[in-house]
């Protein structure tokens, strides 16, 4: 049985093993530069880090390619139409990120001469950049020493040091251990090495400890899946609502959601506020129940009933709508929830 506590003199050795592992095994990702090469474009690092918040690498790759082809520089993105960016973001979820993305690109372009700040403090002053993203950009794009802790890093550290405290209370302890491992030089490579280790070897289930470069140093290896310890989850509140599918002349009525709030600024089907109130349809007619979709948001689970009305002619409505061709609905940039509802309506 190894010591439960890792000795201080061991820490630099652990760091070096992880860096050596990275030099030989770094994942090749479109927003990265190979270890030891030139530093990646801060615009690419920032864009990928914002996209990767709450989203997998596999899902982000296609979006990153689309964004960088369409808007190759931060200035190009800053000058884009809001609606185009929101539509290009559709499907990635957490739409506040897209609104902050635009606000940040505009602030960097108009207020900072197109240059991202190098320091964590400077980066944190920008819209949508929190402590994690600021540390990641500062370390990876500018080579500054910063302590970078994402979900993968959190898991590796919790296992490596057998952190007994449950998350989220364990965050400061985990940050402290990551701080003690982060080298003065190559902090960006070290952060990416830890992310890779978590994504490919120290996976949430069945970690590949036999392939791990720090297996002999790991204090939690014998019971790896028990770490990180997590506090019991509270069930998500349930909400219900209705969405209106109004179809006429092979078109469907879409609205633009208010700029602020959930899915703000996105194109959508008209719907109620999802707070469970009994709502009347937006116009009189022979409404049919077409089906139900469920969707899980960060803070609640939503069940939406889809009500459909098919009319021979496009009616005048009391709110602004855009009549969108149903056979081109995939180009509307609908958020996933409304895409699901549209698919059910089209089958109904
Ligand atoms: Fe993770 Fe296993 Fe490596 Fe420990 S030995 S860091 S549990 S992969």
């Amino acid at each position: 049985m190894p010591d439960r506590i890792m000795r201080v003199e061991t820490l630099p050795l652990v760091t070096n093993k992880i860096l050596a592992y990275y030099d030989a095994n770094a994942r090749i990702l479109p927003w990265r530069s190979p270890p030891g090469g030139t530093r990646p474009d801060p615009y690419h690092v920032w864009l990928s880090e914002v996209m990767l918040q709450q989203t997998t690498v596999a899902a982000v790759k296609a979006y990153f390619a689309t964004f960088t082809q369409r808007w190759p520089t931060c200035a190009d993105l800053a000058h884009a139409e809001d609606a185009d960016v929101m539509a290009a973001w559709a499907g990635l979820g957490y739409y506040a990120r897209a609104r902050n993305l635009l606000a940040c690109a505009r602030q960097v372009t108009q207020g900072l001469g197109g240059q991202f700040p190098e320091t964590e403090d400077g980066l944190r002053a920008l819209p949508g950049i929190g402590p994690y993203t600021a540390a990641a950009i500062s370390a990876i794009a500018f080579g500054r020493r910063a302590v970078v802790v994402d979900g993968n890093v959190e898991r590796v550290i919790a296992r490596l040091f057998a952190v007994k405290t449950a998350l989220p209370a364990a965050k400061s302890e985990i940050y402290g251990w990551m701080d003690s491992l982060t080298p003065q030089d190559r902090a960006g490579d070290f952060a990416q090495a830890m992310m890779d280790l978590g994504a490919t070897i120290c996976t949430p289930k069945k970690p590949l400890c036999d392939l791990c470069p720090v297996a002999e140093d790991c204090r939690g290896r014998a019971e790896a899946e028990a770490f990180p310890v997590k506090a019991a989850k509270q069930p998500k509140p349930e909400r219900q609502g209705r969405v209106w599918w109004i179809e006429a002349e092979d078109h469907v009525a879409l609205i633009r959601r208010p700029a602020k709030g959930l899915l703000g600024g996105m194109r959508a089907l008209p719907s109620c506020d999802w707070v469970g109130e009994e709502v009347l349809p937006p116009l009189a007619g022979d409404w049919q129940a077409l089906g139900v979709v469920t969707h899980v948001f960060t803070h609640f689970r939503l069940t939406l009933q889809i009500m459909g009305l098919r009319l021979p002619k496009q009616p005048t409505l009391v709110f602004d709508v855009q009549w969108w061709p149903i056979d081109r609905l995939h180009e509307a940039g609908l958020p996933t929830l409304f895409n699901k509802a549209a698919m059910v309506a089209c089958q109904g």
Side-chain angles (χ1 to χ4, degrees):
M1 185 79 176
D3 293 344
R4 299 300 292 185
I5 307 294
M6 197 179 292
R7 280 194 271 278
V8 170
E9 59 272 25
T10 308
L11 297 173
L13 304 177
V14 170
T15 300
N16 287 341
K17 286 181 195 176
I18 292 171
L19 280 172
Y21 167 83
Y22 183 67
D23 288 340
N25 300 286
R27 284 182 296 171
I28 297 167
L29 298 172
W31 46 86
R32 273 194 184 173
S33 294
T38 52
R39 292 209 184 100
D41 183 342
Y43 170 58
H44 288 180
V45 177
W46 163 72
L47 185 60
S48 64
E49 286 298 340
V50 174
M51 287 181 167
L52 285 163
Q53 291 162 15
Q54 325 263 3
T55 311
T56 62
V57 166
V60 163
K61 279 183 182 172
Y63 284 88
F64 181 81
T66 302
F67 269 68
T68 49
Q69 275 160 20
R70 204 159 163 193
W71 300 295
T73 67
C74 187
D76 294 325
L77 183 60
H79 292 114
E81 294 291 331
D82 290 35
D84 289 343
V85 174
M86 297 310 282
W89 191 272
L92 264 180
Y94 302 95
Y95 294 93
R97 286 185 297 166
R99 291 192 292 278
N100 279 329
L101 192 80
L102 261 177
C104 182
R106 287 170 183 160
Q107 200 164 318
V108 168
T109 302
Q110 289 151 18
L112 301 172
Q115 303 295 316
F116 279 88
E118 295 195 10
T119 64
E120 289 177 81
D121 282 351
L123 286 158
R124 282 176 66 170
L126 293 169
I129 299 190
Y132 161 76
T133 309
I137 298 171
S138 187
I140 297 168
F142 298 111
R144 290 184 167 247
R145 186 184 182 280
V147 180
V148 184
V149 183
D150 72 354
N152 278 319
V153 175
E154 203 164 71
R155 182 171 60 258
V156 177
I157 292 282
R159 290 173 175 174
L160 198 49
F161 294 94
V163 174
K164 290 274 189 291
T165 313
L167 284 170
K171 280 184 181 292
S172 59
E173 187 177 342
I174 288 172
Y175 183 94
W177 284 121
M178 183 64 178
D179 193 8
S180 68
L181 286 180
T182 299
Q184 198 60 41
D185 297 325
R186 302 193 67 194
D189 279 353
F190 185 71
Q192 292 175 104
M194 290 290 281
M195 293 173 189
D196 283 12
L197 200 56
T200 60
I201 303 278
C202 195
T203 47
K205 301 262 183 244
K206 296 190 173 49
L208 306 171
C209 299
D210 290 343
L211 302 178
C212 179
V214 288
E216 66 180 33
D217 308 293
C218 181
R219 286 352 194 202
R221 179 180 174 178
E223 40 188 348
E225 288 190 26
F227 299 103
V229 180
K230 291 192 177 130
K233 267 195 179 163
Q234 298 296 324
K236 291 197 185 215
E238 300 276 347
R239 288 200 201 166
Q240 287 171 9
R242 281 184 170 174
V243 63
W244 313 108
W245 176 269
I246 309 167
E247 180 180 328
E249 301 173 80
D250 299 324
H251 286 62
V252 63
L254 298 183
I255 56 151
R256 176 80 59 191
R257 291 180 63 83
K260 290 217 181 318
L262 198 63
L263 308 178
M266 302 294 295
R267 251 189 223 112
L269 294 167
S271 72
C272 68
D273 287 341
W274 314 339
V275 290
E277 85 279 37
E278 188 57 42
V279 278
L280 293 173
L283 73 164
D286 182 20
W287 288 91
Q288 308 286 325
L290 300 180
V292 166
V293 288
T294 57
H295 192 76
V296 181
F297 289 99
T298 319
H299 300 299
F300 65 95
R301 175 190 294 273
L302 176 67
T303 303
L304 267 190
Q305 186 182 29
I306 305 148
M307 300 300 294
L309 181 64
R310 294 191 163 96
L311 299 168
K313 288 223 165 303
Q314 292 172 5
T316 304
L317 294 161
V318 291
F319 47 87
D320 286 340
V321 297
Q322 188 174 9
W323 289 98
W324 195 276
I326 293 172
D327 61 358
R328 288 190 20 233
L329 208 47
H330 57 283
E331 297 168 17
L334 295 179
T336 306
L337 165 68
F338 291 104
N339 254 333
K340 286 191 213 168
M343 282 170 68
V344 171
C346 288
Q347 288 158 5

